[in-house]
Amino acid sequence: MKNLKVILLGLILSLIFSRIYIINPSDELIGDNGDKYEFFNFMYLVQENIKAGKYPLSYTDILRYPVGFQLSHGYDGAFSTFTGALLGFIIPL
């Protein structure tokens, strides 16, 4: 019972200090300043590669057209990138 109280207190404090309740996800991305757009782009690119039947981290020219770039050399946060890309098939990014 004591552990449950500690967990609930931590959850309540994290909600209060993160101010997540004032963010409308349809109006803005959740995350730090510029990094949220970088991760969003990587999620989108991985999702597009999967839709095209390619390796998720393969070459893409969607960004930096016409030269493009090898996505496997410039991505960060593989777990969040793949999670967002796969969730993008269920809910729109």
Side-chain angles (χ1 to χ4, degrees), residues 30-56:
I30 298 171
D32 291 335
N33 298 327
D35 287 342
K36 60 185 171 184
Y37 298 108
E38 179 183 5
F39 284 114
F40 182 78
N41 280 328
F42 289 148
M43 288 177 209
Y44 176 75
L45 293 174
V46 167
Q47 183 183 16
E48 289 298 312
N49 282 343
I50 293 172
K51 283 181 185 177
K54 299 190 304 186
Y55 175 67

Side-chain angles (χ1 to χ4, degrees), residues 8-48:
L8 287 176
L9 178 65
L11 180 64
I12 291 169
L13 287 175
S14 66
L15 290 173
I16 290 171
F17 290 121
S18 68
R19 298 179 310 188
I20 194 113
Y21 50 86
I22 63 171
I23 295 174
N24 185 358
S26 63
D27 291 341
E28 70 177 280
L29 296 174
I30 298 171
D32 291 335
N33 298 327
D35 287 342
K36 60 185 171 184
Y37 298 108
E38 179 183 5
F39 284 114
F40 182 78
N41 280 328
F42 289 148
M43 288 177 209
Y44 176 75
L45 293 174
V46 167
Q47 183 183 16
E48 289 298 312

